Amino acid sequence: MTKFRNLSIYLTVSALCALTSCSNDDDATSGGAVESQGTVADIVYSKGSLTNLRFALENAPGDFVATLNGDGPFTVFAPSNTAFKDLADELGYKSGGDLLTNIDPDLLSEILNYHVVAGANADGLSDGAILTTAFGADLTVAISKDGDTQLLDATELPQTETAAKVTASNPDATNGIVHFVDKVLLPQKAIETLGIDIRPSILDWGKATGELSVLVSALEVAGLTETIKGLDSATVLAPTNQAIQGLFEAFGDDYNSLQDFDNEAEIAVLGKIMKYHLLLDAPNLLAGKAETAYEGSSVEVISENGGFVFGDATDINANTVTADIEAKNGTVRVIDKILLPQAALDFIALLDTDDLTTIVVADPQLSVLEEALTATKLVETFADATNESFVQGDDESDEDFAKRSAPDNYTYFKSATVFAPTDDAFADLFAILGDDYTSIASFETEKELALLKEILLYHVVPGKVASADLKAGSLTTVSGSDIEIINSIGTEHVTIGDATNDVNAKIVTPDVSARNGVAHVVDKVLLPKSAIIFIQSLKTEEAVN
């Protein structure tokens, strides 16, 4: 270290020339070689992405520039401007330049010496190699599973991912080799002097703990990784891998892993469950209700045997496995049961119900409606007006789907409200259409099937609307036309008006609940304006004949 601190600072002619023509480009592609002639100092000066390092070399005591232009050989690990900016952010400085202007010069010299190793290995860095730096402290080389060369400094812990990655190398310096790295390397003395918190983050703890691997994956599936990174002082109740198996068991046979949470509604409920494990503003647990990150819900914190257990919407509490794991941005408490909010229980109950298609197929008074849906290939649309709640398998035809009475492999997603006409209601429609229409099979031409399809879509409203929520006024159907909700005076029934403007439909069986919506059985086929025009054309044609 004495050698680096006592030589006079000077710039060679080649270094000055390199400085006046330095590039602003970023370092070469990760792992690539940067070909440039000159000393290791020249190479540093030739890179526009290393201006912070140049400033540090020039302003720290120790004659670094002169030394790195000397005989060597040297191995230099050169942090990028971004690496200095990252360190500045952690220490509360505005920029890398701001950090270097204000840092203690002697400390800066020690940090720079930690980036220099005597000697040069032209064959690269081997996994597990221990490098003794000019500062005296060691660096460890590690090759990641992706093949990246990394350097482990004093910030590296078993639970952290703070390694510096070698992004590129220049093995052609006249007096050594330069490896470009994406992190400022820090010895233990610098960590202590600067007061850097090297504790792992909550997410780092989870990633480094084998029994929490499924939890980490669940957070990723639910899109909550950034939420966890952004925590400040929360307490995370972390269910073990075995505990999360209880989630799959609660959801039923179709759920065996996180891969089965593969649509919007499932991912949304998984997100609610995960947020239910984040106790906000709870650095010190106290018995009582603890607010969670899920929409103001709370978990019951129960004092028991000198510790805590946690209550959710079920009648089984979660026990603490490991308490008070201190992380950089909060506290981790490992528990033996996954906590379920009421929303999860509601979702589970919904999974046990039939879908709208099954309800239609199973109701004997809706057999003609089933035939109509099959003829128009609207079974899937009828089940969900958005065509997003049930997705057919690649090997299943429309005909196979229409014949199936219980589409168990179809997944809950969005919802629809269906006004389902009875068989008698269709019989009345056939009577209005005339003798040529005695059943759904009478709709033979493309024009007739298109009309039948529009009529059916005129019975579907996006969203789940219970009968009690059917307020007087118009509702826009999937067909694009409106129906009119009419509250009949003196009755408990809701009637529905269509384009006929004379005969209304009455809900005879309200609120047939389904996992993807609700069905209201009605005693009349609702007719849009196009159907009225069609009926009038039939009467005109009959009169002419």
Side-chain angles (χ1 to χ4, degrees), residues 185-214:
L185 302 169
L186 296 175
Q188 184 62 37
K189 183 177 179 180
I191 293 170
E192 294 172 357
T193 303
L194 296 172
I196 296 176
D197 187 354
I198 66 171
R199 291 179 301 171
S201 68
I202 291 173
L203 196 60
D204 287 336
W205 266 112
K207 290 180 177 179
T209 305
E211 66 178 355
L212 300 181
S213 61
V214 180

Side-chain angles (χ1 to χ4, degrees), residues 444-460:
E444 299 175 332
T445 67
E446 289 186 8
K447 180 179 179 181
E448 290 170 326
L449 288 171
L451 175 65
L452 180 59
K453 180 176 181 179
E454 183 176 356
I455 291 172
L456 294 175
L457 293 178
Y458 192 58
H459 292 74
V460 184

Side-chain angles (χ1 to χ4, degrees), residues 517-531:
V518 62
H520 306 296
V521 180
V522 294
D523 63 357
K524 176 182 182 291
V525 177
L526 301 172
L527 298 178
K529 187 174 181 179
S530 58

Side-chain angles (χ1 to χ4, degrees), residues 208-247:
T209 305
E211 66 178 355
L212 300 181
S213 61
V214 180
L215 172 62
V216 172
S217 297
L219 292 170
E220 293 172 351
V221 171
L224 294 176
T225 300
E226 292 303 315
T227 299
I228 298 297
K229 288 181 180 179
L231 292 176
D232 184 16
S233 60
T235 292
V236 176
L237 303 178
T240 63
N241 294 346
Q242 183 176 358
I244 294 181
Q245 290 298 319
L247 173 65

Side-chain angles (χ1 to χ4, degrees), residues 35-48:
E35 296 182 2
S36 177
Q37 296 297 320
T39 65
V40 290
D42 294 338
I43 292 170
V44 168
Y45 269 79
S46 71
K47 297 294 294 179

